[in-house]
Amino acid sequence: MSYLFDHKFKNPSSWVFYLTIPVALYFLFTDQFDNIMKIQVFSLFPSDILVSTTETESIIDNRGFIWIENGILDEILTIVIIVSGILSSFSKEKVEDEMISSIRMKSLVLSLYINYGMLILSNLFIYEMAYFYAMVIHLFTILLFFNLIFNFRLYKHYNS
Amino acid sequence: MKNNIRLYRAKFKLTQDDLSKKLDVSRQTINAIENNKYYPSLELGLKLSQIFECKVDDLFSLD
């Protein structure tokens, strides 16, 4: 049984993935996530247990299972990046043969090693809130690394 | 592992493209197999032996 998506998803999702990443990074580094698209959201978990920063000041002291005001741009961008990244990474090629599967598997293993290697380095050399940001970024870099490595290897394969 | 696929392909007057269509794989995969850059699965090996009307042993051998 193949868990891959149809080939038609590959190109559109790749465009969305690679265009959304710089947009998300811009909003992350300019610290604008909490100011845009503010709506009432349902918070399951008390945020004061997790972390207390200026960004979360407005929702500190809530006890969970309550409605809070939150900018949802980061949630939207997260979903767009993850869904487009998965579709882009795991859509079939035009001719999805066993060698493509082998290339896909090797690229996935390598991207996982690189991602967790970088996470270990972040763990050793980055501290406090910067480490939190590093962890968040690493959630997406595994898809990014896989995409880049897999597409580079496919490019080499198709040009052999 | 080495293989004689190029020899058999020439014997049966098939191009890499022809063979790839018969096997439902890409031409580049046939090229990679011929150049020992990729070792095919048992299923693909058996399909190759069927096309070339020979045993798998005739197509593939250990160095």
Side-chain angles (χ1 to χ4, degrees):
Chain A
M1 185 181 171
S2 169
Y3 294 103
L4 299 174
F5 299 96
D6 199 275
H7 177 67
K8 69 183 175 193
F9 293 116
K10 187 168 173 107
N11 281 339
S13 59
S14 296
W15 277 103
V16 173
F17 181 61
Y18 287 112
L19 289 175
T20 315
I21 286 175
V23 173
L25 286 174
Y26 170 77
F27 283 112
L28 179 69
F29 290 121
T30 54
D31 212 11
Q32 292 183 54
F33 277 135
D34 287 325
N35 305 325
I36 301 170
M37 301 171 81
K38 273 191 171 181
I39 61 163
Q40 291 284 313
V41 293
F42 190 70
S43 167
L44 275 182
F45 208 70
S47 61
D48 54 338
I49 290 175
L50 289 175
V51 65
S52 171
T53 67
T54 50
E55 285 82 19
T56 56
E57 204 172 302
S58 60
I59 50 172
I60 281 173
D61 292 332
N62 83 67
R63 295 288 151 205
F65 293 99
I66 58 163
W67 289 89
I68 57 167
E69 194 171 66
N70 180 54
I72 58 160
L73 182 64
D74 50 344
E75 281 81 8
I76 291 171
L77 288 175
T78 299
I79 291 167
V80 170
I81 291 173
I82 290 173
V83 172
S84 62
I86 286 176
L87 281 172
S88 166
S89 304
F90 299 105
S91 289
K92 286 178 186 168
E93 289 301 300
K94 266 185 187 164
V95 180
E96 180 73 29
D97 61 23
E98 59 180 55
M99 190 172 178
I100 301 288
S101 301
S102 167
I103 294 171
R104 180 177 275 113
M105 197 265 287
K106 286 175 185 169
S107 305
L108 189 58
V109 171
L110 183 61
S111 60
L112 195 126
Y113 287 164
I114 293 172
N115 196 60
Y116 280 101
M118 285 180 65
L119 192 58
I120 288 170
L121 289 175
S122 305
N123 185 42
L124 292 173
F125 298 113
I126 301 174
Y127 295 94
E128 296 179 357
M129 273 310 283
Y131 178 64
F132 172 77
Y133 282 119
M135 279 205 305
V136 170
I137 288 170
H138 277 110
L139 289 176
F140 305 103
T141 50
I142 189 160
L143 278 173
L144 181 65
F145 291 150
F146 172 67
N147 242 285
L148 294 172
I149 294 167
F150 181 51
N151 284 318
F152 174 69
R153 287 183 167 182
L154 276 184
Y155 172 78
K156 274 174 52 182
H157 173 63
Y158 287 138
N159 288 295
S160 62
Chain B
M1 197 165 75
K2 55 186 179 180
N3 69 72
N4 300 316
I5 290 169
R6 188 168 278 147
L7 284 174
Y8 274 87
R9 193 167 54 74
K11 189 177 159 188
F12 280 75
K13 294 191 173 79
L14 291 172
T15 62
Q16 287 186 341
D17 203 35
D18 296 333
L19 186 57
S20 68
K21 281 171 186 158
K22 281 176 184 281
L23 291 166
D24 201 22
V25 298
S26 67
R27 183 197 61 75
Q28 290 85 357
T29 299
I30 300 295
N31 186 50
I33 294 170
E34 285 186 358
N35 291 311
N36 287 319
K37 287 180 182 166
Y38 175 69
Y39 300 131
S41 66
L42 180 60
E43 187 187 354
L44 202 55
L46 288 167
K47 281 181 183 172
L48 279 164
S49 72
Q50 210 171 38
I51 289 168
F52 293 133
E53 297 160 6
C54 62
K55 292 179 182 172
V56 178
D57 285 13
D58 299 330
L59 288 174
F60 300 98
S61 56
L62 292 170
D63 278 327

